Amino acid sequence: MKQKHSKNRAKPYKKPTPARRNERFSKNYSFIQRSKQMEESHRRERMPTAPKQEYEPVAELLPEIQDDVDETGFYKKLVTGFNNIPTSDILHSKAEKEEDHFIPVPRKIKPKKEKRSEQLGVDLEIYNSFSKRFDFELSTDKINDLIARKEVRTIKSNWSALGNISFDIPRLTEDFKEPDCSEPKDIASTGDLQKLEVKASICGNAKLPFTALQSQLFYIANNYQDIYYPHRTHGNAEDIRYVYCMHALNHMLKVRSLILRNNEKVSALAKSQKMSPNEICIPESFRDQGLKRMKVVFVVPFRESALRIVNILGDLLFGSQDDQARKTSIANYERFLGDYSGNTIYFPKTNPKPMDYEQTFSGNTDDNFKLGIRFTKKTMSLFSDMNSSDMLIASPLGLRMLVTDKESDFDFLNSIELLIIDQAELFLAQNWENLLHSLDHLHLQPQKLPDTNCQRVRTWCLSGASSFYRQTLFFSSHELPEFRAVFNSKCNNYQGKVRDSNLVKHGDIRNVLTPIHQVFRLISCSSVETTFDDRFQYFVKNIMPQFSKPGFSHCMLYVPSYFDYVRIRNHFKTEMVSFVQINEYTKKEKISRARDIFFHSGASVLLYSERAHFFRRTRIKGIRNLIMYQPPNFPHFYSEIINLMLKSNQNQRDGFEDAMSVSILYTKYDLLSLSNIVGSENAAKLTSGQKDSYLFSTKT
C-alpha cells in the first residue's frame, strides 16, 4: 500500500510513547503553540507596556512517577503560556443566570431580570469564600513555610458542643488578621444556610434545625479548614455524616457551577472572535479546573457506610424519595442496592454480643469496594469510571487496590480538594497500612499526559501545590498516636487546622467490674523506633519467667499488634511454652478447641490478638492472670477483657481461686492510649513519674 507521506517511507516505524496517545491532549498542545502567537499579537495591540508575568513551578513538590515519558518544560509551558490576556471582552459578554445548570431546584423559581453589573456582583458575593480559597496563589517561600510549620498562630477557644478546640492558622500575608474563633450561632433555617453560601438546591432539602454539634462542625468545614474530631460515637455518627455529606456536595456543586459558567463565557468569547472554543486564547481568570475531574474522596470502612452516604447525597439533591423514585433520579441505583445492602452478619440471641459490636457490624460489612459518582445536569450516576467521576467512596483496601493496579493509573487522585476520613479507628482493625499507602499517592505527577484543557487548569495545580489546597476532615471515636500522625504530617491545608484538645477525665477503667488490682509496668526506651524491641526484651526477661512458677496458670496474653503477636508466637514455639492461640484468622473449630483446652488447664497460656476480639468478641472463660502486652487500641476493650475474669466465668475446679492478677505493659509513648483508659491526668503521671510500676485497684 502506498504511504501517504513519501518522505517518511524509508524511516523505520517507531512505537509512539504511551503518554502521547491522547488525541485530546495533542490538540491542546497544538493550541498552546497557537496561543503563544496570539498572545504576542494581543500584547502588541492592546497591552504594549505590560510586563510579562511568570509563575515559577515548584518542581520538587511534584514527585516523578514515570521516567520514560519526556515531560521537560511541559508544566512550565502550561503555566506561563497564557498570561496578561484582557478580560474586558469576557466581562461584557452576555450575563449568566445566578442559579447553576447542574441540579435543578425542586421548586420552579422564575429568575428576575437584572442588569449585568448587578448579576455579576451577586455571583461574586455567592462564591466569595470559595473563590478566595482557590484563587489565592501560594509562593514558593510560603509553601516552604507551610512544610516547616513556620509562622503558625494557635488560637484556643471553647465551644458548647466541641468543647476545647485549637485553631492553627498559618500567617501567609503581612497584613494577617487574627480570625474570629468565637462560637457560631446554630443553624436553624434555610436563611442561615444561605448566609453560609450553601447552594439553593441543597437548602431546600436540608433537614433543619441542625444540632449544636452539626452547626459548629459545618461552620468550620465551610471555612475550608481541616478538622480532627476524635469523639465520634454511635449516637452522633449520623449527625456527623450528614454534615460532611452536605459540605462535600455543596463544594462539588460550586465547582461544577463555576466550570459551566466559564464554559458559557468561553463560548461567548469564541463566538465574538468567530473561532472555535478550543482555538481561542482563554484569559487567566478562567482557570477553574484541576488536572483531573475528581474532587472529593470519602474513605470509610464498610459498604454500609457507603450506602448511607449515597442516600444522604440523594436526599440533599432530590429530597426524600422511595426506592422506585430514586432509581429514576440516581442512575444504577438498583445495582447499587444489590451490591451495597444486605449481608448482615448473624447476631446470636442466647449469648448476645455487646451493643457497640452490633452497631458497628450492622449492614454490609464488606471492606473491599470503590464507588465512583458522577454528577450531570439532572441525575447522579453511580459506578462511573474513575477518570470521569466527581466523587469517590472507597475503603482503604479498595483505594489501595486502585493505586496498585498495574493495568490502570491513579492519576484521578491528583486534584483532590476534599478528603473525608470517617471511622478511622476501624482502619486499625482492618489494615492501617492500606490507608497510609493510599494517602501517599495523592497529588502525585500524572503518569499520563492529562486530557484537560491546559488553559483552564489552575496554576497551583500545575506547579504541584495541590496538597496545600486540600481540606481533610478526620473523624474517630478516640485519640491515638496514629491518628495524630496522619493529621499532623499529611494534612497541609494553607487555611489552617482545627483540632480537638479536650482531656479525658475518667477513662474506661471506671467500667471495670471485677474487684482486682491492676498493675501498670513502665518499660524504659530511648526512642520510638526502639519500642518494638524494648517491649519484647522486657517481656522475655521479666514476664516470661513467671510462666514457670507454680500456681501461675490460666494466663491470657492480650496483644494489640499482629506483628508483636507473630513474634511472641514464634518465640513460644522456640521455648516450648505450653500455649494455645486465637487470632483473627483462626477457624471456628480451632477457636472452640483452644477455649476448651485453656478452660480445663490443658495449656497455661492463651495467646489472644486484639483483632480477633474486635471481629468476634469471643467470651473467653477461665482467665486467672491477664497480661496486656500493650494498652488496647480500643479503650472499651480494657474493661471488657478484665470483666471476663468475673467469678461467674471461672472454672471452680482449677484450684486457683485466690491467684489472680492483671498487668499492663506500656512505654512513655503510649500516653494517648493510657489517657483513654485511666484519664489524661493519671496518664501524665504514669509516663512522667519516677516509678517503674503503678497500681490501680477496683477492690472495695
Side-chain angles (χ1 to χ4, degrees), residues 202-216:
I202 298 178
C203 293
N205 297 321
K207 295 180 181 179
L208 298 172
F210 277 7
T211 64
L213 177 62
Q214 285 181 310
S215 301
Q216 293 169 20

Side-chain angles (χ1 to χ4, degrees), residues 117-133:
S117 59
E118 296 177 355
Q119 184 72 22
L120 182 61
V122 171
D123 288 342
L124 293 176
E125 183 178 357
I126 288 179
Y127 297 100
N128 190 21
S129 63
F130 176 81
S131 59
K132 279 183 179 180
R133 171 173 175 79

